[in-house]
PDB file of all heavy atoms in Angstrom:
ATOM      1  N   LEU D   1     -36.723  -4.949 -22.000  1.00  0.00           N
ATOM      2  CA  LEU D   1     -36.667  -5.438 -20.572  1.00  0.00           C
ATOM      3  C   LEU D   1     -35.733  -4.534 -19.850  1.00  0.00           C
ATOM      4  O   LEU D   1     -34.572  -4.410 -20.217  1.00  0.00           O
ATOM      5  CB  LEU D   1     -36.201  -6.827 -20.506  1.00  0.00           C
ATOM      6  CG  LEU D   1     -35.983  -7.404 -19.105  1.00  0.00           C
ATOM      7  CD1 LEU D   1     -37.282  -7.402 -18.317  1.00  0.00           C
ATOM      8  CD2 LEU D   1     -35.397  -8.786 -19.138  1.00  0.00           C
ATOM      9  N   ILE D   2     -36.135  -3.733 -18.920  1.00  0.00           N
ATOM     10  CA  ILE D   2     -35.309  -2.762 -18.251  1.00  0.00           C
ATOM     11  C   ILE D   2     -35.046  -3.233 -16.859  1.00  0.00           C
ATOM     12  O   ILE D   2     -35.997  -3.565 -16.038  1.00  0.00           O
ATOM     13  CB  ILE D   2     -36.023  -1.412 -18.174  1.00  0.00           C
ATOM     14  CG1 ILE D   2     -36.403  -0.925 -19.563  1.00  0.00           C
ATOM     15  CG2 ILE D   2     -35.232  -0.371 -17.434  1.00  0.00           C
ATOM     16  CD1 ILE D   2     -37.337   0.238 -19.618  1.00  0.00           C
ATOM     17  N   ILE D   3     -33.754  -3.351 -16.508  1.00  0.00           N
ATOM     18  CA  ILE D   3     -33.358  -3.816 -15.183  1.00  0.00           C
ATOM     19  C   ILE D   3     -32.520  -2.690 -14.556  1.00  0.00           C
ATOM     20  O   ILE D   3     -31.491  -2.212 -15.145  1.00  0.00           O
ATOM     21  CB  ILE D   3     -32.503  -5.055 -15.227  1.00  0.00           C
ATOM     22  CG1 ILE D   3     -33.296  -6.212 -15.975  1.00  0.00           C
ATOM     23  CG2 ILE D   3     -32.067  -5.538 -13.834  1.00  0.00           C
ATOM     24  CD1 ILE D   3     -32.547  -7.478 -16.299  1.00  0.00           C
ATOM     25  N   ARG D   4     -32.899  -2.296 -13.351  1.00  0.00           N
ATOM     26  CA  ARG D   4     -32.121  -1.263 -12.667  1.00  0.00           C
ATOM     27  C   ARG D   4     -31.392  -1.849 -11.547  1.00  0.00           C
ATOM     28  O   ARG D   4     -31.938  -2.619 -10.738  1.00  0.00           O
ATOM     29  CB  ARG D   4     -33.144  -0.220 -12.059  1.00  0.00           C
ATOM     30  CG  ARG D   4     -32.457   0.852 -11.368  1.00  0.00           C
ATOM     31  CD  ARG D   4     -33.405   1.901 -10.823  1.00  0.00           C
ATOM     32  NE  ARG D   4     -32.736   2.909 -10.072  1.00  0.00           N
ATOM     33  CZ  ARG D   4     -33.204   4.130  -9.839  1.00  0.00           C
ATOM     34  NH1 ARG D   4     -34.358   4.469 -10.262  1.00  0.00           N
ATOM     35  NH2 ARG D   4     -32.527   4.943  -9.158  1.00  0.00           N
ATOM     36  N   VAL D   5     -30.188  -1.577 -11.435  1.00  0.00           N
ATOM     37  CA  VAL D   5     -29.234  -2.109 -10.447  1.00  0.00           C
ATOM     38  C   VAL D   5     -28.541  -0.921  -9.769  1.00  0.00           C
ATOM     39  O   VAL D   5     -28.030  -0.039 -10.329  1.00  0.00           O
ATOM     40  CB  VAL D   5     -28.116  -3.009 -11.046  1.00  0.00           C
ATOM     41  CG1 VAL D   5     -27.180  -3.511 -10.052  1.00  0.00           C
ATOM     42  CG2 VAL D   5     -28.749  -4.169 -11.851  1.00  0.00           C
ATOM     43  N   GLU D   6     -28.515  -1.030  -8.408  1.00  0.00           N
ATOM     44  CA  GLU D   6     -27.903   0.047  -7.602  1.00  0.00           C
ATOM     45  C   GLU D   6     -26.946  -0.699  -6.622  1.00  0.00           C
ATOM     46  O   GLU D   6     -27.208  -1.820  -6.229  1.00  0.00           O
ATOM     47  CB  GLU D   6     -28.884   0.751  -6.703  1.00  0.00           C
ATOM     48  CG  GLU D   6     -29.802   1.615  -7.552  1.00  0.00           C
ATOM     49  CD  GLU D   6     -30.791   2.363  -6.692  1.00  0.00           C
ATOM     50  OE1 GLU D   6     -30.562   2.601  -5.487  1.00  0.00           O
ATOM     51  OE2 GLU D   6     -31.887   2.753  -7.179  1.00  0.00           O
ATOM     52  N   ASP D   7     -25.740  -0.053  -6.440  1.00  0.00           N
ATOM     53  CA  ASP D   7     -24.831  -0.639  -5.456  1.00  0.00           C
ATOM     54  C   ASP D   7     -24.086   0.479  -4.800  1.00  0.00           C
ATOM     55  O   ASP D   7     -24.264   1.678  -5.172  1.00  0.00           O
ATOM     56  CB  ASP D   7     -23.879  -1.630  -6.136  1.00  0.00           C
ATOM     57  CG  ASP D   7     -22.922  -1.008  -7.044  1.00  0.00           C
ATOM     58  OD1 ASP D   7     -22.793   0.294  -7.137  1.00  0.00           O
ATOM     59  OD2 ASP D   7     -22.206  -1.655  -7.670  1.00  0.00           O
ATOM     60  N   GLN D   8     -23.379   0.200  -3.802  1.00  0.00           N
ATOM     61  CA  GLN D   8     -22.577   1.109  -3.105  1.00  0.00           C
ATOM     62  C   GLN D   8     -21.060   1.109  -3.451  1.00  0.00           C
ATOM     63  O   GLN D   8     -20.165   1.504  -2.720  1.00  0.00           O
ATOM     64  CB  GLN D   8     -22.703   0.899  -1.578  1.00  0.00           C
ATOM     65  CG  GLN D   8     -24.064   0.979  -1.097  1.00  0.00           C
ATOM     66  CD  GLN D   8     -24.698   2.374  -1.157  1.00  0.00           C
ATOM     67  OE1 GLN D   8     -24.050   3.408  -1.030  1.00  0.00           O
ATOM     68  NE2 GLN D   8     -25.859   2.393  -1.682  1.00  0.00           N
ATOM     69  N   GLY D   9     -20.773   0.633  -4.703  1.00  0.00           N
ATOM     70  CA  GLY D   9     -19.486   0.453  -5.168  1.00  0.00           C
ATOM     71  C   GLY D   9     -18.767   1.852  -5.499  1.00  0.00           C
ATOM     72  O   GLY D   9     -19.373   2.886  -5.379  1.00  0.00           O
ATOM     73  N   LEU D  10     -17.531   1.740  -5.914  1.00  0.00           N
ATOM     74  CA  LEU D  10     -16.740   2.898  -6.173  1.00  0.00           C
ATOM     75  C   LEU D  10     -16.465   3.052  -7.620  1.00  0.00           C
ATOM     76  O   LEU D  10     -15.484   3.601  -8.108  1.00  0.00           O
ATOM     77  CB  LEU D  10     -15.430   2.816  -5.394  1.00  0.00           C
ATOM     78  CG  LEU D  10     -15.638   2.730  -3.915  1.00  0.00           C
ATOM     79  CD1 LEU D  10     -14.243   2.469  -3.258  1.00  0.00           C
ATOM     80  CD2 LEU D  10     -16.237   3.966  -3.333  1.00  0.00           C
ATOM     81  N   GLY D  11     -17.380   2.480  -8.417  1.00  0.00           N
ATOM     82  CA  GLY D  11     -17.112   2.471  -9.902  1.00  0.00           C
ATOM     83  C   GLY D  11     -17.296   3.759 -10.673  1.00  0.00           C
ATOM     84  O   GLY D  11     -16.855   3.875 -11.901  1.00  0.00           O
ATOM     85  N   MET D  12     -17.849   4.817 -10.059  1.00  0.00           N
ATOM     86  CA  MET D  12     -18.001   6.078 -10.742  1.00  0.00           C
ATOM     87  C   MET D  12     -17.625   7.307  -9.809  1.00  0.00           C
ATOM     88  O   MET D  12     -17.815   7.233  -8.655  1.00  0.00           O
ATOM     89  CB  MET D  12     -19.453   6.239 -11.141  1.00  0.00           C
ATOM     90  CG  MET D  12     -20.101   5.209 -12.046  1.00  0.00           C
ATOM     91  SD  MET D  12     -21.614   5.704 -12.549  1.00  0.00           S
ATOM     92  CE  MET D  12     -21.344   5.741 -14.267  1.00  0.00           C
ATOM     93  N   HIS D  13     -17.277   8.382 -10.469  1.00  0.00           N
ATOM     94  CA  HIS D  13     -17.058   9.579  -9.777  1.00  0.00           C
ATOM     95  C   HIS D  13     -18.439  10.233  -9.583  1.00  0.00           C
ATOM     96  O   HIS D  13     -19.053  10.506 -10.610  1.00  0.00           O
ATOM     97  CB  HIS D  13     -16.119  10.575 -10.497  1.00  0.00           C
ATOM     98  CG  HIS D  13     -14.717  10.054 -10.586  1.00  0.00           C
ATOM     99  ND1 HIS D  13     -13.794  10.238  -9.567  1.00  0.00           N
ATOM    100  CD2 HIS D  13     -14.045   9.362 -11.554  1.00  0.00           C
ATOM    101  CE1 HIS D  13     -12.652   9.788  -9.883  1.00  0.00           C
ATOM    102  NE2 HIS D  13     -12.738   9.245 -11.029  1.00  0.00           N
ATOM    103  N   LYS D  14     -18.817  10.481  -8.354  1.00  0.00           N
ATOM    104  CA  LYS D  14     -20.225  11.073  -8.147  1.00  0.00           C
ATOM    105  C   LYS D  14     -20.430  12.427  -8.837  1.00  0.00           C
ATOM    106  O   LYS D  14     -21.488  12.749  -9.474  1.00  0.00           O
ATOM    107  CB  LYS D  14     -20.541  11.184  -6.704  1.00  0.00           C
ATOM    108  CG  LYS D  14     -20.765   9.872  -6.043  1.00  0.00           C
ATOM    109  CD  LYS D  14     -21.310  10.000  -4.662  1.00  0.00           C
ATOM    110  CE  LYS D  14     -21.607   8.721  -4.126  1.00  0.00           C
ATOM    111  NZ  LYS D  14     -22.237   8.772  -2.835  1.00  0.00           N
ATOM    112  N   ALA D  15     -19.417  13.245  -8.897  1.00  0.00           N
ATOM    113  CA  ALA D  15     -19.515  14.612  -9.367  1.00  0.00           C
ATOM    114  C   ALA D  15     -19.669  14.600 -10.946  1.00  0.00           C
ATOM    115  O   ALA D  15     -20.428  15.361 -11.509  1.00  0.00           O
ATOM    116  CB  ALA D  15     -18.378  15.487  -9.007  1.00  0.00           C
ATOM    117  N   THR D  16     -18.845  13.755 -11.650  1.00  0.00           N
ATOM    118  CA  THR D  16     -18.779  13.804 -13.109  1.00  0.00           C
ATOM    119  C   THR D  16     -19.553  12.624 -13.742  1.00  0.00           C
ATOM    120  O   THR D  16     -19.813  12.686 -14.958  1.00  0.00           O
ATOM    121  CB  THR D  16     -17.378  13.785 -13.552  1.00  0.00           C
ATOM    122  OG1 THR D  16     -16.762  12.510 -13.193  1.00  0.00           O
ATOM    123  CG2 THR D  16     -16.511  14.922 -12.989  1.00  0.00           C
ATOM    124  N   GLY D  17     -19.699  11.524 -13.038  1.00  0.00           N
ATOM    125  CA  GLY D  17     -20.288  10.320 -13.696  1.00  0.00           C
ATOM    126  C   GLY D  17     -19.318   9.519 -14.444  1.00  0.00           C
ATOM    127  O   GLY D  17     -19.674   8.512 -15.038  1.00  0.00           O
ATOM    128  N   ALA D  18     -18.038   9.951 -14.467  1.00  0.00           N
ATOM    129  CA  ALA D  18     -17.014   9.231 -15.252  1.00  0.00           C
ATOM    130  C   ALA D  18     -16.674   7.880 -14.506  1.00  0.00           C
ATOM    131  O   ALA D  18     -16.657   7.852 -13.294  1.00  0.00           O
ATOM    132  CB  ALA D  18     -15.763  10.072 -15.351  1.00  0.00           C
ATOM    133  N   GLU D  19     -16.432   6.844 -15.294  1.00  0.00           N
ATOM    134  CA  GLU D  19     -16.093   5.548 -14.698  1.00  0.00           C
ATOM    135  C   GLU D  19     -14.641   5.703 -14.146  1.00  0.00           C
ATOM    136  O   GLU D  19     -13.758   6.160 -14.787  1.00  0.00           O
ATOM    137  CB  GLU D  19     -16.249   4.499 -15.718  1.00  0.00           C
ATOM    138  CG  GLU D  19     -17.710   4.204 -16.089  1.00  0.00           C
ATOM    139  CD  GLU D  19     -17.773   3.141 -17.183  1.00  0.00           C
ATOM    140  OE1 GLU D  19     -16.942   2.231 -17.135  1.00  0.00           O
ATOM    141  OE2 GLU D  19     -18.702   3.233 -17.967  1.00  0.00           O
ATOM    142  N   ARG D  20     -14.484   5.037 -12.979  1.00  0.00           N
ATOM    143  CA  ARG D  20     -13.119   4.982 -12.450  1.00  0.00           C
ATOM    144  C   ARG D  20     -12.390   3.747 -12.988  1.00  0.00           C
ATOM    145  O   ARG D  20     -13.035   2.726 -13.341  1.00  0.00           O
ATOM    146  CB  ARG D  20     -13.234   4.785 -10.972  1.00  0.00           C
ATOM    147  CG  ARG D  20     -13.731   6.024 -10.236  1.00  0.00           C
ATOM    148  CD  ARG D  20     -13.838   5.722  -8.734  1.00  0.00           C
ATOM    149  NE  ARG D  20     -14.671   6.704  -8.070  1.00  0.00           N
ATOM    150  CZ  ARG D  20     -14.209   7.466  -7.146  1.00  0.00           C
ATOM    151  NH1 ARG D  20     -12.987   7.397  -6.699  1.00  0.00           N
ATOM    152  NH2 ARG D  20     -15.007   8.352  -6.593  1.00  0.00           N
ATOM    153  N   GLN D  21     -11.099   3.850 -13.212  1.00  0.00           N
ATOM    154  CA  GLN D  21     -10.316   2.760 -13.649  1.00  0.00           C
ATOM    155  C   GLN D  21      -9.903   1.892 -12.367  1.00  0.00           C
ATOM    156  O   GLN D  21      -9.278   2.425 -11.514  1.00  0.00           O
ATOM    157  CB  GLN D  21      -9.123   3.238 -14.344  1.00  0.00           C
ATOM    158  CG  GLN D  21      -9.454   3.979 -15.689  1.00  0.00           C
ATOM    159  CD  GLN D  21     -10.143   3.188 -16.672  1.00  0.00           C
ATOM    160  OE1 GLN D  21      -9.868   2.065 -16.933  1.00  0.00           O
ATOM    161  NE2 GLN D  21     -11.227   3.843 -17.279  1.00  0.00           N
ATOM    162  N   GLY D  22     -10.364   0.655 -12.439  1.00  0.00           N
ATOM    163  CA  GLY D  22     -10.054  -0.263 -11.321  1.00  0.00           C
ATOM    164  C   GLY D  22      -9.573  -1.518 -11.754  1.00  0.00           C
ATOM    165  O   GLY D  22      -9.129  -1.704 -12.895  1.00  0.00           O
ATOM    166  N   THR D  23      -9.535  -2.478 -10.795  1.00  0.00           N
ATOM    167  CA  THR D  23      -9.000  -3.824 -11.062  1.00  0.00           C
ATOM    168  C   THR D  23     -10.082  -4.720 -11.496  1.00  0.00           C
ATOM    169  O   THR D  23      -9.801  -5.850 -11.980  1.00  0.00           O
ATOM    170  CB  THR D  23      -8.279  -4.389  -9.882  1.00  0.00           C
ATOM    171  OG1 THR D  23      -9.187  -4.411  -8.749  1.00  0.00           O
ATOM    172  CG2 THR D  23      -7.087  -3.464  -9.493  1.00  0.00           C
ATOM    173  N   GLY D  24     -11.390  -4.396 -11.336  1.00  0.00           N
ATOM    174  CA  GLY D  24     -12.509  -5.266 -11.640  1.00  0.00           C
ATOM    175  C   GLY D  24     -12.890  -5.045 -13.029  1.00  0.00           C
ATOM    176  O   GLY D  24     -12.403  -4.334 -13.934  1.00  0.00           O
ATOM    177  N   PHE D  25     -13.966  -5.893 -13.438  1.00  0.00           N
ATOM    178  CA  PHE D  25     -14.510  -5.813 -14.771  1.00  0.00           C
ATOM    179  C   PHE D  25     -15.840  -5.026 -14.780  1.00  0.00           C
ATOM    180  O   PHE D  25     -16.241  -4.535 -15.859  1.00  0.00           O
ATOM    181  CB  PHE D  25     -14.727  -7.226 -15.409  1.00  0.00           C
ATOM    182  CG  PHE D  25     -13.377  -7.931 -15.541  1.00  0.00           C
ATOM    183  CD1 PHE D  25     -12.953  -8.875 -14.592  1.00  0.00           C
ATOM    184  CD2 PHE D  25     -12.630  -7.694 -16.578  1.00  0.00           C
ATOM    185  CE1 PHE D  25     -11.816  -9.482 -14.812  1.00  0.00           C
ATOM    186  CE2 PHE D  25     -11.433  -8.270 -16.730  1.00  0.00           C
ATOM    187  CZ  PHE D  25     -11.042  -9.244 -15.818  1.00  0.00           C
ATOM    188  N   GLY D  26     -16.602  -5.049 -13.789  1.00  0.00           N
ATOM    189  CA  GLY D  26     -17.685  -4.162 -13.540  1.00  0.00           C
ATOM    190  C   GLY D  26     -18.544  -3.862 -14.794  1.00  0.00           C
ATOM    191  O   GLY D  26     -19.066  -4.709 -15.457  1.00  0.00           O
ATOM    192  N   LEU D  27     -18.732  -2.572 -15.053  1.00  0.00           N
ATOM    193  CA  LEU D  27     -19.601  -2.136 -16.128  1.00  0.00           C
ATOM    194  C   LEU D  27     -19.131  -2.551 -17.546  1.00  0.00           C
ATOM    195  O   LEU D  27     -19.897  -2.857 -18.441  1.00  0.00           O
ATOM    196  CB  LEU D  27     -19.780  -0.594 -16.131  1.00  0.00           C
ATOM    197  CG  LEU D  27     -20.597  -0.103 -14.916  1.00  0.00           C
ATOM    198  CD1 LEU D  27     -20.542   1.447 -14.864  1.00  0.00           C
ATOM    199  CD2 LEU D  27     -21.999  -0.523 -15.040  1.00  0.00           C
ATOM    200  N   SER D  28     -17.850  -2.653 -17.731  1.00  0.00           N
ATOM    201  CA  SER D  28     -17.341  -3.024 -19.004  1.00  0.00           C
ATOM    202  C   SER D  28     -17.761  -4.448 -19.374  1.00  0.00           C
ATOM    203  O   SER D  28     -18.113  -4.793 -20.545  1.00  0.00           O
ATOM    204  CB  SER D  28     -15.771  -2.882 -19.190  1.00  0.00           C
ATOM    205  OG  SER D  28     -15.186  -3.644 -18.260  1.00  0.00           O
ATOM    206  N   SER D  29     -17.760  -5.292 -18.395  1.00  0.00           N
ATOM    207  CA  SER D  29     -18.143  -6.725 -18.583  1.00  0.00           C
ATOM    208  C   SER D  29     -19.700  -6.727 -18.823  1.00  0.00           C
ATOM    209  O   SER D  29     -20.129  -7.480 -19.755  1.00  0.00           O
ATOM    210  CB  SER D  29     -17.850  -7.500 -17.329  1.00  0.00           C
ATOM    211  OG  SER D  29     -18.303  -8.812 -17.455  1.00  0.00           O
ATOM    212  N   VAL D  30     -20.455  -5.984 -18.119  1.00  0.00           N
ATOM    213  CA  VAL D  30     -21.923  -5.950 -18.285  1.00  0.00           C
ATOM    214  C   VAL D  30     -22.270  -5.419 -19.702  1.00  0.00           C
ATOM    215  O   VAL D  30     -23.073  -6.042 -20.432  1.00  0.00           O
ATOM    216  CB  VAL D  30     -22.590  -5.066 -17.283  1.00  0.00           C
ATOM    217  CG1 VAL D  30     -24.070  -4.860 -17.584  1.00  0.00           C
ATOM    218  CG2 VAL D  30     -22.475  -5.658 -15.838  1.00  0.00           C
ATOM    219  N   ARG D  31     -21.555  -4.336 -20.106  1.00  0.00           N
ATOM    220  CA  ARG D  31     -21.819  -3.790 -21.461  1.00  0.00           C
ATOM    221  C   ARG D  31     -21.441  -4.802 -22.490  1.00  0.00           C
ATOM    222  O   ARG D  31     -22.191  -4.933 -23.536  1.00  0.00           O
ATOM    223  CB  ARG D  31     -20.984  -2.534 -21.621  1.00  0.00           C
ATOM    224  CG  ARG D  31     -21.491  -1.331 -20.935  1.00  0.00           C
ATOM    225  CD  ARG D  31     -20.749  -0.045 -21.359  1.00  0.00           C
ATOM    226  NE  ARG D  31     -21.363   1.049 -20.709  1.00  0.00           N
ATOM    227  CZ  ARG D  31     -20.805   1.705 -19.677  1.00  0.00           C
ATOM    228  NH1 ARG D  31     -19.670   1.286 -19.241  1.00  0.00           N
ATOM    229  NH2 ARG D  31     -21.326   2.708 -19.084  1.00  0.00           N
ATOM    230  N   GLU D  32     -20.363  -5.498 -22.381  1.00  0.00           N
ATOM    231  CA  GLU D  32     -19.973  -6.486 -23.423  1.00  0.00           C
ATOM    232  C   GLU D  32     -20.960  -7.665 -23.484  1.00  0.00           C
ATOM    233  O   GLU D  32     -21.404  -8.094 -24.557  1.00  0.00           O
ATOM    234  CB  GLU D  32     -18.546  -6.971 -23.078  1.00  0.00           C
ATOM    235  CG  GLU D  32     -18.103  -8.129 -24.069  1.00  0.00           C
ATOM    236  CD  GLU D  32     -18.034  -7.647 -25.502  1.00  0.00           C
ATOM    237  OE1 GLU D  32     -17.867  -6.452 -25.755  1.00  0.00           O
ATOM    238  OE2 GLU D  32     -18.046  -8.547 -26.375  1.00  0.00           O
TER     239      GLU D  32
END
C-alpha cells in the first residue's frame, strides 16, 4: 500500500535531501 504525502514544511534541505533537526517528530515518528 503506497501513500504519497506532500507538504510545504521545512523538514528537509531541498539541495541535499538531508532531514533538518527541529522540535517536531515528523518523519522520525512516521518511520517508527
Side-chain angles (χ1 to χ4, degrees):
L1 175 62
I2 302 166
I3 301 172
R4 180 178 177 159
V5 178
E6 294 181 23
D7 70 8
Q8 300 299 317
L10 300 173
M12 300 188 120
H13 292 279
K14 286 189 177 186
T16 65
E19 292 180 31
R20 295 178 193 241
Q21 298 299 316
T23 58
F25 295 101
L27 289 172
S28 62
S29 177
V30 170
R31 283 190 180 103
E32 177 61 22

